[in-house]
Amino acid sequence: MVQEFSKVDKIEGELNLPGDKSISHRAVMFSAMAEGTSRIYNLSNGEDVKSTQECFKKLGVEIKKEKDFVEATGKGFKGFRKPDSELDAGNSGTTTRLISGILAAQNFESVIIGDESLSKRPMKRIITPLTEMGGKISASDNYTLPLRISPSENLHAIKYELPMASAQVKSAVLLAGLHCDEPTSVIERNPSRDHTERMLGLKVEKTAKRIISYSSKQNYPVPKEYFVPSDISTAAFFIVFALLSKNSLLKLKNVSLNETRTGILQVLKEMGGNIESENEREAAGEPLGDLIVRGSELKNIFIQEKIIPNIIDEIPILSIAGIFADGNFTIRNASELRGKETDRINAICYNLKLIGLEVEEYEDGFSFGGKINNSNPVFESFGDHRIAMAFGILSMLLHSGGKINNFDCVSISNPDFIKQIKNITR
Ligand code: S3P
């Protein structure tokens, strides 16, 4: 579907966005593992989290949607049943990589498949540590889906130093570690999102140089009530939209303010963005609050390597802020972007060139500057929800609007994007 957007001058109002995707995946997984019934409030309504729910239903978990919450009755330690067909993770890297850590410890075989995009994404990063733990995982020639996970009842604990900044790899190892008697430890240099650690109450040691997280059988989940804060990665599109629209005033309610996710707020504030938070609190171990965003004049800044894992999903929309900020925009040390739903470095550069910007592409990032000179762009989403939404926002900031090809993919994280835009534009 081609989505057309016209110029919007001002945005105003309040949004209560759907639940955070990363926390939602984990809430479903941990409820599914726990023996008994858990309730999840404000679960993400995106396709990715639906994929996670469908996989666990095939493993014997009962999941019911009620009016205000989702109820999941989990199977307990090694209580899953062998699925009668392949587990389809759809477009979701988080589903694939985290569930692999759980399935590696089961006494039955399972096969994970996914869509065209997911079938190209790198899986060696989880196969290596899970195999080291005694898991039996085979993939296609270049370590991509389908993954075949063979029975392996006795995983052993390992000490694993992450070769790349990845919360998905860290979580896969920690989840496998929940099946071991001895503690498994994962060491990371730069902090990635810590939802797995928080939600399972894992021990975490932090020094100036590294972070070590530990998991063992003792941390195996029990039934709980989860409250999922609104997704800061979804909020980021609206935050940038409000900052770049003169005289705008937008309130975003109950947004996740986990410090391993708020790098985008830090960067945008440093760029001159007027963003305030109020009503800060905690729900089910995760910090959240309301954000108030006002139209602001932005300038581009130097973005440090250390913050990249914290803003990795927000780089598409951050680069849109960069177009309208003073000075040239540069992002480096972000080669992880090439292995996302699409090669996001390539996708962003392709679309920025369509509006006449001078773009330089690097293996680990890109930079751009210059003036916008195309009045009628048709952007490509490359089937990637974050590219589609970022260039949807850009279209609403351009004098004669813009179009996005293959926009439907926004439903991966936020099926109600267009409705939400209508609510804050008049
Ligand atoms: C996620 C981790 C990140 C992020 C993804 C969700 C998670 O991926 O890009 O959207 O929920 O753990 P990596 O850990 O592979 O960087």
Side-chain angles (χ1 to χ4, degrees), residues 48-87:
D48 269 7
V49 173
K50 287 196 182 130
S51 296
T52 291
Q53 293 178 69
E54 288 312 309
C55 287
F56 281 98
K57 283 183 190 166
K58 280 199 179 176
L59 291 163
V61 178
E62 200 185 308
I63 303 179
K64 280 190 303 197
K65 185 165 172 18
E66 304 289 350
K67 188 169 163 281
D68 295 326
F69 52 84
V70 168
E71 205 165 71
T73 304
K75 304 306 283 181
F77 194 75
K78 306 233 173 163
F80 293 129
R81 68 160 187 244
K82 180 177 162 47
D84 51 19
S85 57
E86 293 146 328
L87 300 171

Side-chain angles (χ1 to χ4, degrees), residues 104-123:
Q106 308 300 323
N107 56 5
F108 53 79
E109 182 179 272
S110 43
V111 175
I112 309 174
I113 57 165
D115 71 5
E116 203 188 323
S117 149
L118 187 60
S119 301
K120 290 190 200 129
R121 294 181 66 182
M123 295 300 156

Side-chain angles (χ1 to χ4, degrees), residues 96-285:
T96 310
R97 297 198 179 109
L98 269 60
I99 208 174
S100 296
I102 300 167
L103 293 174
Q106 308 300 323
N107 56 5
F108 53 79
E109 182 179 272
S110 43
V111 175
I112 309 174
I113 57 165
D115 71 5
E116 203 188 323
S117 149
L118 187 60
S119 301
K120 290 190 200 129
R121 294 181 66 182
M123 295 300 156
K124 189 175 181 189
R125 51 182 59 202
I126 53 155
I127 297 174
T128 302
L130 293 177
T131 305
E132 208 186 305
M133 295 179 83
K136 299 192 178 75
I137 308 180
S138 63
S140 336
D141 290 347
N142 45 354
Y143 297 99
T144 51
L145 295 188
L147 291 184
R148 182 173 297 274
I149 306 182
S150 303
S152 160
E153 271 182 89
N154 291 315
L155 294 191
H156 52 262
I158 58 166
K159 186 173 173 186
Y160 193 65
E161 187 150 357
L162 284 182
M164 73 288 292
S166 170
Q168 294 182 354
V169 178
K170 173 176 66 176
S171 299
V173 177
L174 292 171
L175 294 184
L178 294 174
H179 301 85
C180 305
D181 295 319
E182 298 298 316
T184 282
S185 55
V186 181
I187 303 159
E188 49 186 349
R189 201 162 58 87
N190 289 329
S192 62
R193 63 195 68 194
D194 66 356
H195 307 300
T196 299
E197 298 88 311
R198 279 175 176 270
M199 294 168 76
L200 291 172
L202 304 185
K203 179 175 136 198
V204 179
E205 284 169 4
K206 288 184 192 165
T207 67
K209 287 204 178 121
R210 54 190 206 160
I211 301 150
I212 314 178
S213 315
Y214 300 87
S215 72
S216 73
K217 253 185 196 164
Q218 282 180 346
N219 307 110
Y220 200 82
V222 291
K224 261 195 201 164
E225 283 205 340
Y226 294 95
F227 178 81
V228 186
S230 295
D231 196 323
I232 189 165
S233 302
T234 299
F237 296 100
F238 298 94
I239 294 171
V240 168
F241 193 20
L243 289 176
L244 296 178
S245 310
K246 285 215 164 49
N247 302 318
S248 290
L249 176 58
L250 178 67
K251 185 168 189 174
L252 298 161
K253 304 258 297 176
N254 307 323
V255 180
S256 164
L257 295 179
N258 177 313
E259 66 177 13
T260 59
R261 299 287 298 283
T262 49
I264 184 65
L265 303 181
Q266 194 182 320
V267 172
L268 289 169
K269 281 185 194 173
E270 225 182 294
M271 289 172 76
N274 186 338
I275 308 170
E276 284 167 343
S277 54
E278 60 179 33
N279 197 15
E280 287 188 30
R281 61 205 189 276
E282 250 192 41

